[in-house]
Amino acid sequence: MEIPAKNILLNISVSDRDDLLHFISNKCEALGYTDSAEDLYDSFIKREADYSTGLQEGFAIPHAKTDDVKSAQIIYVRTNNPIAWKTYDDKPVTDIFALMIPESGVGTTHLKMLSNLATALLEDDFKKEIRKLNDSQKISNYITEKIGVNV
């Protein structure tokens, strides 16, 4: 799965986690990945209610598995300012990988995407490189190389 450059959103200003999830949901609707930003947002919030997707060192991986999503997608967002999120190290988040998976017909895509991303986020080199890059296409290429999944 290739992560297109249009899915790389840099220098985004949001006030908190919910504002960010609204932003991502609206962007997904604008990109044609969903017909309902509000339903996608609700799916993200439902998942966060089960267990926070905040990790550590400023990263989070919110995800939604819903038929409101037309195809599996990854959106990478880098915020201008750290935002509060429940994380393992109780630190705010600046780098977000949002995963959207259709509920039906994708088999284990969701798990493969999460597994590949979680593995990459354990590598210091991956975290340093993703934060060092400032070009959407270069970030797109790097993420695709490191965590792309065949769907």
Side-chain angles (χ1 to χ4, degrees), residues 27 48 72 90 125:
K27 186 68 171 178
E48 289 294 323
D90 294 321
D125 289 346

Side-chain angles (χ1 to χ4, degrees), residues 133-151:
L133 295 171
N134 286 310
D135 175 85
S136 293
Q137 188 60 58
K138 288 180 181 174
I139 294 171
S140 164
N141 294 344
Y142 185 70
I143 295 171
T144 298
E145 173 190 333
K146 295 296 182 181
I147 64 172
V149 173
N150 291 327
V151 292

Side-chain angles (χ1 to χ4, degrees), residues 78-93:
R78 183 183 302 152
T79 62
N80 279 333
N81 300 301
I83 57 173
W85 204 299
K86 185 178 178 186
T87 59
Y88 294 120
D89 59 4
D90 294 321
K91 300 216 166 124
V93 167

Side-chain angles (χ1 to χ4, degrees), residues 32-129:
Y33 299 154
T34 183
D35 288 329
S36 174
E38 198 56 40
D39 288 344
L40 179 57
Y41 170 79
D42 289 345
S43 295
F44 279 124
I45 292 299
K46 182 179 176 195
R47 174 61 186 83
E48 289 294 323
D50 289 341
Y51 198 81
S52 176
T53 58
L55 299 176
Q56 58 193 23
E57 299 179 60
F59 287 90
I61 51 170
H63 42 284
K65 188 174 182 184
T66 173
D67 279 329
D68 294 316
V69 175
K70 297 176 183 179
S71 64
Q73 297 292 331
I74 295 175
I75 302 272
Y76 170 71
V77 179
R78 183 183 302 152
T79 62
N80 279 333
N81 300 301
I83 57 173
W85 204 299
K86 185 178 178 186
T87 59
Y88 294 120
D89 59 4
D90 294 321
K91 300 216 166 124
V93 167
T94 55
D95 295 83
I96 299 93
F97 289 90
L99 283 63
M100 287 80 49
I101 309 293
E103 184 74 43
S104 58
V106 295
T108 59
T109 301
H110 183 241
L111 296 175
K112 287 179 189 172
M113 288 170 66
L114 270 174
S115 175
N116 290 1
L117 181 54
T119 299
L121 288 172
L122 291 173
E123 300 171 13
D124 287 339
D125 289 346
F126 177 82
K127 292 181 280 193
K128 286 177 188 171
E129 187 67 18

Side-chain angles (χ1 to χ4, degrees), residues 4-22:
K6 65 184 176 182
N7 288 17
I8 309 301
L9 311 171
L10 305 175
N11 305 314
I12 303 303
S13 294
V14 291
S15 58
D16 57 25
R17 182 202 72 184
D18 290 356
D19 191 24
L20 172 82
L21 295 175
H22 270 296

